[in-house]
Amino acid sequence: MKRKKYKIITSIFLIGVLVFLAYINTITESEINNVHVSLPVNAIENEKTITNDLNPILEYKLVNSKKDKEEGYVVETYREYEIYKNKNGTIDKTVPTDNYNYLKYKITESDNE
C-alpha cells in the first residue's frame, strides 16, 4: 500500500516539474522571439546612415475626404509617410508607405448648417 502511494506522489511531482519547465521554456522563447536587431553592418563606419536611414519619423497625412450625404457619413483617408530629417532638423526626404488609416464619422444636423 505504501509503495503505491509513493508511486502516485512521485508521478504527481514529476508531472508538476515538467509543467513548470514547459512554462519556463515558453516564457524564454517568447522573449527571444521579440528581440529585433536593425543595425546595418556598416553602422560603425557611417554614423550618418544610422541617424537618417534607420530613424524615420512616421506621420499620417490626409489624402482624401469623401462626404456621403445620403448615408450621412464622412470618410477621411490618411496615408502613412516616413519622414527623414538631417541633424539640423530639415526634411531630407519623405517616403509614402502602403499603410492607410480611415476615419469614418457621422454627419449630424448641426454639421450641415
Side-chain angles (χ1 to χ4, degrees):
M1 187 74 164
K2 284 187 172 184
R3 187 172 187 164
K4 189 175 185 180
K5 186 177 179 181
Y6 286 134
K7 283 184 180 182
I8 292 173
I9 292 173
T10 305
S11 299
I12 292 173
F13 177 76
L14 289 175
I15 290 172
V17 168
L18 291 175
V19 169
F20 176 75
L21 290 175
Y23 173 73
I24 296 296
N25 189 32
T26 305
I27 292 174
T28 305
E29 285 182 4
S30 66
E31 289 175 354
I32 290 172
N33 290 338
N34 290 333
V35 174
H36 300 286
V37 177
S38 60
L39 292 176
V41 177
N42 64 351
I44 298 172
E45 298 171 5
N46 191 357
E47 185 178 323
K48 196 171 189 180
T49 302
I50 294 174
T51 57
N52 290 344
D53 293 339
L54 292 180
N55 299 320
I57 297 170
L58 300 176
E59 183 177 298
Y60 282 93
K61 295 181 183 180
L62 180 66
V63 292
N64 193 7
S65 179
K66 291 183 182 178
K67 186 181 278 189
D68 188 358
K69 291 184 180 181
E70 293 175 11
E71 295 290 325
Y73 288 100
V74 174
V75 178
E76 294 179 344
T77 304
Y78 293 87
R79 186 171 191 178
E80 183 182 51
Y81 290 86
E82 294 178 349
I83 300 173
Y84 295 91
K85 294 183 178 183
N86 62 16
K87 291 181 180 179
N88 297 330
T90 58
I91 296 174
D92 285 340
K93 66 179 177 176
T94 303
V95 179
T97 66
D98 292 332
N99 297 328
Y100 290 90
N101 276 340
Y102 302 94
L103 178 62
K104 180 178 179 180
Y105 52 94
K106 188 164 182 67
I107 301 172
T108 60
E109 295 284 329
S110 62
D111 292 341
N112 291 331
E113 296 175 357

